[in-house]
Each structure stands twice: as structure tokens, then as C-alpha cells.
Amino acid sequence: MGATAARLVIHLGPGEHHVVDLSRGCTKLGRSATAGIALTEPMVSERHAELAWDGSRLSMRDMSSTNGTEVNGRRVTSWTTLHDGDRVRWGPVDADVVLAATQAPAPPGPPERSVAVEPPTRDLQMPGGRPPSGRRVFLSHASEDDEIARSVADILRAQGWEPWLDETGIPGGASWAATIQQALRSSSVVVLLVTASSVCKEWVLDEITAARNLRVPVIPALLEDVPLPDDLQFLLQRTQHVDVSALAGFSSDDGSDRADAARRLDDAIIGVMERQGRTNPDRVLMRFGQVFAVVGVLLFLLAILSFIIAGLILDSSWGMEGFPVPMLAPFALALFAMVLGVAGTAMARTGRVRGL
């Protein structure tokens, strides 16, 4: 009977992974350069986890890391037995466990030297100090909604996310199903664009089912108010829906409505990341941003009040006399308030998503 080999397939980003063969004994994993498996990711602790392989059983424990260790979406602390196909996570870094039978041993002969292969830490280094998949958003949609999906992808890209569309993310000659599966594995969240076309597509149902099996959270983004079929309704039960119909023009073409819908979708994605522990918020930056935003709103209200008071005092109109000079101060205050509010909101969001 053949022996069993243990390896980890560590996902570094879209279409990128590194295979580490485990030797018998204990292997430390962490950000430290001396770790047996070194991951240069800020959210991975210096001494994050430890793996033990005895030739037949693979176990892992967390070493009091900051961002935790998970097995199939469940946080673990003590020694836990790993099985073939398990998905493990150290902070934001995912890996798959592979336990495969090797060839039967050769007939007795001269003993062979056991050569320990040191995992190449250079290949595990991640550009920019974070995995490229941290902001990956998988867009599930019907082919009839390609134009809308591209528009939503542009909005997500402008917000700093990395949208994945099947029409652009699958190279020629590649297996469609395998590429979809890999894209789901490397994504942090799936955004389902709900329309009358998408809810009827069996392929969309397959994507959502695969996402559930891989424990990738799904956000139903309602572009149209349509009833969900029973099978899709079952998969999305207890899942918060997000109304983004303004992005498709089904509710209103007003720019403010589209901006509000884009913010709701962005906030929903960030909320999922926070619940998964993928973010490492900079609370100081968040607080400053929130204060600036509140001050901006108050100053804007003060500017409006100043406009009214100045208008009553001047008792003039906006007609032929042009822009009254006393109105310049309230106008400047309103402009400053808007800039301060926008800057504060951006600061708060930056602090909230720090670590992705």
C-alpha cells in the first residue's frame, strides 16, 4: 500500500498559487523570515500557526495569532485534524489541503536519503504587502445583462475593488468551469446581479451553489424587483439584499440616486469583509474622517442659513444685478463644507478597509 503525501496549495492571487510539500514533523507558519512557511502579509502574525504531519495524519493549531486561523470557515485554536480538500485560512491568506497517495514503495534496496525540501519563501511574497485577491469581487450575472455588469464593474473598480467578469476573466482555450471555480476561490465576495434574466439562468444558480460550497459570501444586488425561484431563494435565505436598481436606471436616472446605490453596494461589501475578519481597521483614521464629515455637514447647514440671512438683509434677487458680493462668504463656506465632508467620508472609508 502506498504512502500518503501532504501538501498545501496556497493561493496568492487570481490564477496564482504555490504548492508546499510538508515534511514529517512540525512546521511553523508566519510572517517571520525564520518560519518554515513564511508569508510576508501584514495581517499574518510573526508566529501564526503550526502544522504537524506524521505521514498519515495532518494537524494544525493556531499560535495565538492576531487575526486567527480557520478551517472551512470555522475558527480554531487547539490542534485540529485536517482532511483532504479542507480550506484553511491564516488571516487573509487561503490554502487548500491536499492529501494524496504516492506510488507504492520500491523493493528493498539501499536506503535512500530523505531530502527535506525547504519551501521557497520568495515565491510566497505578495506585492504591496497584501494578497491581490483581498479586493476581488466576483460578479455573477446573466449574459443578457453584460452591459449592466460592465457598468457595475466600472463602479466597483473606481471604488478600489477588483471585479471579475466571466466575459473578460477567462483566457482562450481555458476550461470554463475550472476557471469559474478558481475565480470563486480567489474572490472575497460574490455580487449577484439580480434581474429577470439572471434568476432564471441555471448557470447563475450553479455559480451561487459553488460559492456557498466554497463558503464565499454572496450579496444579492437587486437591479430589478423580481421574485426569486425557490432554489435560489433557499440558497440566499438569511442573506441581506441590496437595492441598486438606480445603477441600471430601473428606478431613476438621477445622478444622486446612482451615487447612493453605489455607496450601498460598497458598504455591503465592506460589511462582509469586516464580518469575515479580513480588514484591519485604522480606527484613528476612521474617527478623524467621521469628525470631518460631521463638521462638513454642520458647516454646510450653516452656509445655507447664511444664504437665507444674507438674502433677507439684502432684500435682493439673483436677477440682473448679478451675484451679490455679501453672498460670496456663504458660497465659499458651502464649498469648503462640501470638500471637508467628501474628504472626511473618504478618510473614514480608507480607515475602515485598511488591511485588505
Side-chain angles (χ1 to χ4, degrees):
M1 182 176 177
T4 303
R7 59 175 56 100
L8 297 172
V9 181
I10 302 177
H11 302 289
L12 305 179
E16 300 179 51
H17 61 270
H18 185 79
V19 178
V20 175
D21 291 311
L22 297 173
S23 56
R24 296 197 183 200
C26 292
T27 303
K28 300 287 195 306
L29 178 146
R31 201 172 69 247
S32 172
T34 60
I37 302 176
L39 301 172
T40 57
E41 156 60 42
M43 293 180 67
V44 173
S45 299
E46 291 280 336
R47 292 161 49 86
H48 198 106
E50 183 178 16
L51 297 112
W53 169 241
D54 63 4
S56 61
R57 179 181 177 185
L58 178 62
S59 303
M60 180 178 67
R61 71 181 176 110
D62 185 77
M63 301 180 72
S64 300
S65 64
T66 301
N67 293 300
T69 299
E70 295 181 5
V71 177
N72 296 325
R74 180 174 58 87
R75 192 155 183 166
V76 299
T77 54
S78 57
W79 284 107
T80 302
T81 301
L82 301 179
H83 304 90
D84 183 50
D86 280 349
R87 168 62 68 92
V88 298
R89 178 190 295 276
W90 311 288
V93 180
D94 290 322
D96 291 320
V97 176
V98 179
L99 302 177
T102 60
Q103 294 181 350
E112 296 182 357
R113 290 191 303 164
S114 176
V115 181
V117 180
E118 181 181 355
T121 58
R122 287 187 180 180
D123 292 341
L124 296 178
Q125 295 185 3
M126 303 174 188
R130 64 172 177 82
S133 60
R135 295 176 179 266
R136 173 60 58 88
V137 176
F138 185 103
L139 282 178
S140 179
H141 66 288
S143 57
E144 291 85 349
D145 301 323
D146 282 345
E147 185 175 351
I148 299 174
R150 284 191 291 268
S151 175
V152 174
D154 289 339
I155 291 171
L156 292 175
R157 199 172 291 112
Q159 292 171 333
W161 303 109
E162 299 172 5
W164 191 94
L165 287 169
D166 55 14
E167 63 176 7
T168 58
I170 301 181
S175 167
W176 190 283
T179 305
I180 292 290
Q181 189 83 349
Q182 179 59 40
L184 286 170
R185 287 182 183 275
S186 65
S187 297
S188 298
V189 63
V190 173
V191 171
L192 169 61
L193 302 183
V194 178
T195 64
S197 299
S198 66
V199 298
C200 299
K201 297 294 183 180
E202 192 165 336
W203 186 259
V204 170
L205 178 63
D206 290 341
E207 289 178 345
I208 302 305
T209 302
R212 286 303 192 200
N213 292 337
L214 293 170
R215 291 179 171 81
V216 181
V218 179
I219 298 176
L222 305 182
L223 288 167
E224 292 185 73
D225 186 12
V226 294
L228 299 180
D230 291 341
D231 43 10
L232 196 57
Q233 181 79 43
F234 177 78
L235 289 173
L236 298 177
Q237 60 182 331
R238 297 190 301 275
T239 302
Q240 183 64 43
H241 295 55
V242 182
D243 182 7
V244 295
S245 55
L247 299 181
F250 290 115
S251 65
S252 171
D253 291 329
D254 185 70
S256 63
D257 288 343
R258 291 178 59 84
D260 288 341
R263 279 193 294 269
R264 284 194 296 272
L265 181 57
D266 181 59
D267 188 67
I269 296 173
I270 296 175
V272 167
M273 303 293 190
E274 290 173 335
R275 288 190 292 274
Q276 287 188 313
R278 287 177 173 264
T279 61
N280 186 22
D282 185 336
R283 303 198 181 278
V284 174
L285 188 62
M286 288 174 60
R287 295 293 180 267
F288 272 108
Q290 290 166 353
V291 169
F292 287 167
V294 171
V295 171
V297 171
L298 295 177
L299 289 178
F300 188 76
L301 294 176
L302 179 60
I304 294 177
L305 181 60
S306 300
F307 269 116
I308 297 173
I309 294 175
L312 293 175
I313 294 175
L314 290 172
D315 192 24
S316 61
S317 66
W318 299 93
M320 299 299 293
E321 298 180 6
F323 194 88
V325 174
M327 290 292 188
L328 290 177
F331 181 78
L333 181 61
L335 184 61
F336 175 73
M338 287 189 291
V339 172
L340 190 63
V342 171
T345 302
M347 286 177 61
R349 183 189 184 279
T350 301
R352 189 180 176 192
V353 300
R354 182 66 62 86
L356 283 177

